[in-house]
Amino acid sequence: MNSGPASFDELDRKILTALMANARTSFAEIGTAIGLSSTAVKRRVDRLREAGVITGYTATVKPSALGWRTEAYVEVYCEGAAPPRRLAEVVRHHPEITAAMTVTGGADALLHVRARDVEHFEEVLERIRAEPFIRKTISVMVLSHLLPESPEAGAIHAAPEVR
């Protein structure tokens, strides 16, 4: 798989736009919309997958339909310099963490957490804080999504397991 920047043209961009809007759109439908045969669209999609531009397909699920009604972002501050590899190991043990990244600024990491309710969120936060190298956390609860069609408004990953 190629790790460098991919080169693609306007037709590739149109294909990507169609697939990002609805990954179930058929090659024939995309081809009709952009003026290519379904076979040509498939060849381009295969090339984009091989180049690492398309990394997978997913379903977007409304988290509240699964019982996950509470959402927050948690800034994590570590003692000393916690390597990203160590942080990644820790967040993998918390199924309620749906996204995690290292960041610039005062915090060392930012976590996106989904929970059933505030009590469940508090329990998750206590588990995160119990890690020996975590000095403090600052949480921000999500009240509403201003862009309801954004990926952040729906689950990107499989639903977290209920504990």
Side-chain angles (χ1 to χ4, degrees), residues 48-153:
L48 291 166
R49 289 187 68 186
E50 289 171 15
V53 176
I54 296 174
T55 58
Y57 301 90
T58 187
T60 302
V61 178
K62 185 175 178 183
S64 62
L66 301 172
W68 298 90
R69 302 190 190 293
T70 300
E71 177 180 10
Y73 287 88
V74 179
E75 291 181 352
V76 175
Y77 297 80
C78 300
E79 292 290 346
R85 181 179 62 254
R86 177 68 179 117
L87 286 166
E89 290 171 11
V90 168
V91 299
R92 283 190 187 101
H93 292 96
H94 301 279
E96 299 88 351
I97 299 173
T98 61
M101 59 285 303
T102 56
V103 294
T104 62
D108 294 294
L110 182 65
L111 312 178
H112 184 209
V113 177
R114 292 193 184 270
R116 291 183 308 274
D117 50 35
V118 173
E119 291 79 16
H120 181 205
F121 173 73
E122 185 175 26
E123 184 261 316
V124 172
L125 198 55
E126 288 172 8
R127 281 191 276 126
I128 293 167
R129 288 179 178 158
E131 296 295 337
F133 63 90
I134 294 185
R135 181 172 48 91
K136 76 174 185 175
T137 61
I138 297 176
S139 303
V140 179
M141 301 295 288
V142 174
L143 299 177
S144 64
H145 285 273
L146 301 176
L147 301 172
E149 301 304 318
S150 69
E152 292 78 12

Side-chain angles (χ1 to χ4, degrees), residues 35-55:
L36 289 178
S37 69
S38 59
T39 304
V41 172
K42 182 188 181 321
R43 277 195 305 268
R44 285 174 174 263
V45 168
D46 289 345
R47 182 176 44 77
L48 291 166
R49 289 187 68 186
E50 289 171 15
V53 176
I54 296 174
T55 58

